[in-house]
């Protein structure tokens, strides 16, 4: 089992409000370069979605549950069919996550659930979940689509004072105006 974090990020490491839905002054940076930058399976999730589980925080799940079920392209079909776990401190009833097929509330503690999961775990967005997993040294790989934008404000992927991490670059590929990079925990 491995934990793979998927993030859209700016050059200065900001991951918050990429689509502008949070209404921040710097939000919406994701779409300034065109939707083709993020179309399809840019992160190469393929089989991981087929055999693994997607882990989302409540806010990301709510945003995605309004967006993805109405799409019918091959990547959307894979994501819609994938099992999804929703980490939430505010939702308590399974019916609250019924809007998106194959979604269920995470039972118990987030870290315990991830540690005992037998399938690969893909975390999309959900920066609070990512920070908790990184703090517990549970992230095995980061797949980042970096946009040529510097915001100077917002929630960073790696917050100041967070735990150190030694990473190894697996690949870097230009995708239009963006760069897709893959890093894994350094072996050693």
């Amino acid at each position: 089992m491995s934990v793979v974090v998927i993030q859209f990020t700016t050059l200065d490491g900001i991951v918050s409000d990429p689509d502008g839905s949070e209404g921040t002054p710097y939000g919406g940076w994701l779409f300034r370069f065109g939707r083709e930058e993020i179309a399809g399976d840019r992160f190469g999730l393929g089989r991981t979605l087929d055999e693994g589980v997607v882990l989302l925080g409540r806010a990301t799940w709510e945003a995605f549950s309004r967006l993805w079920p109405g799409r019918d392209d091959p990547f959307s079909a894979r994501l819609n069919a994938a099992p999804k776990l929703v980490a939430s401190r505010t939702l308590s009833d399974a019916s609250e996550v019924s809007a998106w097929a194959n979604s269920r509330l995470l039972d118990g503690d987030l870290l315990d659930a991830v540690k005992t999961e037998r399938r690969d775990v893909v975390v999309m967005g959900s920066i609070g979940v990512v920070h908790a997993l990184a703090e517990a040294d549970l992230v095995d790989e980061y797949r980042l689509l970096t946009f040529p934008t510097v915001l100077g404000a917002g929630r960073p992927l790696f917050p100041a004072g967070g735990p150190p991490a030694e990473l190894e670059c697996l690949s870097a590929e230009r995708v239009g105006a963006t760069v897709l990079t893959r890093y894994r925990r350094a072996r050693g």
Side-chain angles (χ1 to χ4, degrees):
M1 186 281 294
S2 65
V3 176
V4 178
V5 168
I6 303 299
Q7 288 290 337
F8 296 123
T9 184
T10 63
L11 278 175
D12 57 345
I14 301 302
V15 295
S16 55
D17 204 13
D19 63 356
S21 64
E22 296 174 36
T24 63
Y26 51 82
W29 49 268
L30 177 75
F31 298 121
R32 292 185 191 133
F33 301 94
R35 293 186 185 274
E36 64 276 358
E37 302 294 334
I38 59 170
D41 188 7
R42 286 283 188 237
F43 293 101
L45 295 173
R47 283 185 32 177
T48 306
L49 285 180
D50 296 341
E51 300 170 6
V53 61
V54 177
L55 173 60
L56 303 162
R58 180 200 46 82
T60 302
W61 181 89
E62 286 175 345
F64 282 16
S65 71
R66 290 187 297 270
L67 175 71
W68 290 103
R71 294 183 173 184
D72 62 359
D73 60 274
F75 177 73
S76 297
R78 260 188 160 145
L79 183 57
N80 288 327
K84 292 165 277 296
L85 297 175
V86 182
S88 175
R89 292 185 196 106
T90 57
L91 301 177
S92 60
D93 188 287
S95 67
E96 295 177 287
V97 296
S98 63
W100 193 11
N102 305 311
S103 296
R104 70 176 177 86
L105 283 174
L106 187 81
D107 293 327
D109 180 70
L110 168 68
L111 300 179
D112 290 340
V114 170
K115 287 176 187 176
T116 59
E117 180 60 54
R118 293 188 174 164
R119 300 167 288 187
D120 287 341
V121 176
V122 176
V123 184
M124 297 177 162
S126 308
I127 195 60
V129 171
V130 171
H131 287 168
L133 296 175
E135 183 73 32
D137 196 27
L138 292 175
V139 177
D140 298 295
E141 184 178 338
Y142 292 91
R143 296 183 190 180
L144 311 175
L145 193 59
T146 304
F147 288 75
T149 298
V150 175
L151 298 176
R155 290 184 74 188
L157 176 57
F158 301 104
E166 295 293 327
L167 303 172
E168 171 186 3
C169 183
L170 299 175
S171 65
E173 170 190 357
R174 183 175 178 178
V175 179
T178 65
V179 177
L180 174 63
T181 52
R182 291 180 61 196
Y183 296 93
R184 75 172 171 210
R185 186 187 326 214
R187 312 270 187 240

